[in-house]
Amino acid sequence: RVHGNHTFNAKFYIPYKGIAIGLGANVFAHLFNFQYSFRIGFLILPALVEYAWVWTGSAPYVRSLDFLNWLVEYRRAKAEIETDGGALYRRNPLVFQKYTKQIGSKSAVSYTH
């Protein structure tokens, strides 16, 4: 599955799981009366680890390649229809209406012949 709408996402990532784990560890440290430096470390360290884990992940690169491959194939298919459209239209006059309905396009498909 291609995540085209999340591929080039530039929003700042907030590590909610790391913050939740850090808060749980902070409650544990409070119950057993740990020093405040340990409590701060328990709060910050899981969030930093999660942020680093997500930041160094390879999933966005794979999704980007999937999206760009889909984009190239889509453009190639559209170009083939534009160049071979005359032959397709002579065989089946409704082929372009089916194509525009299938891809959800509101613009007409034209061919160069």
Side-chain angles (χ1 to χ4, degrees), residues 5-16 51 54-55 60 63:
N5 55 344
H6 297 296
T7 301
F8 303 105
N9 191 356
K11 293 181 181 176
F12 181 73
Y13 178 73
I14 300 173
Y16 291 113
Y51 186 77
V54 170
W55 184 66
R63 287 196 309 263

Side-chain angles (χ1 to χ4, degrees), residues 6 10 14 17 21 23-24 45-46 53-54 57 61-62 65 69 78 81 83-85 88-89 95 102 105-106 108:
H6 297 296
I14 300 173
K17 291 178 199 168
I21 291 170
L23 287 174
L45 220 63
W53 183 271
V54 170
Y61 300 110
V62 172
L65 285 175
N69 286 336
K78 195 168 181 179
I81 284 184
T83 56
D84 299 333
L88 288 172
Y89 185 75
V95 70
Q102 183 178 5
S105 175
K106 297 193 182 356

